[in-house]
Amino acid sequence: MNTANNQEYLERQRYDRRIGQYEEDSLTKIAARIPEGSRVLDVGTGPGSLGQYLRAEKGCSVFGIELDPEFVSVARDRYEHLFIADLNKVDLACLLKDLSFDYAVCADVLE
């Protein structure tokens, strides 16, 4: 693996996090605040760690939005539906027409 590919791989790996009661990162803190059975929109899903946790551990209905094709390929099965969209170009009202959510999460999106 060349240096550029290695750097990209390491950058992507930092988004694939474990969520649980003994973890201290931001996704664990966010997940703790979302009640069981909630409808959640995860904007900028990355590899889908939050979606996977909320669906499996809290019985939430979780939709996601992600642009990166590599993250989409990993995250797709972790969401009820995963939209592939560029937040700078998409009309969210149109994309999410007729959908409602209890919570919208934008974790690690504005970097």
Side-chain angles (χ1 to χ4, degrees), residues 5-89:
N5 287 343
N6 191 38
Q7 281 297 103
E8 186 174 317
Y9 173 80
L10 292 174
E11 181 66 18
R12 289 180 189 289
Q13 285 300 103
R14 78 182 184 107
Y15 289 105
D16 195 10
R17 295 182 273 172
R18 189 174 11 190
I19 300 172
Q21 67 183 40
Y22 300 111
E23 303 298 325
E24 291 292 326
D25 75 351
S26 60
L27 286 185
T28 296
K29 292 175 182 178
I30 290 168
R33 294 178 170 268
I34 297 175
E36 290 184 9
S38 296
R39 289 183 52 83
V40 180
L41 175 64
D42 184 5
V43 180
T45 66
S49 302
L50 182 63
Q52 181 178 36
Y53 178 85
L54 292 175
R55 289 183 80 193
E57 302 299 324
K58 293 198 164 189
C60 293
S61 174
V62 188
F63 287 67
I65 301 174
E66 178 58 56
L67 173 63
D68 187 300
E70 289 184 39
F71 283 148
V72 168
S73 69
V74 173
R76 185 176 308 281
D77 293 337
R78 297 176 175 184
Y79 291 85
E80 187 171 320
H81 185 80
L82 183 59
F83 297 98
I84 303 168
D86 183 339
L87 296 175
N88 293 312
K89 297 177 182 176

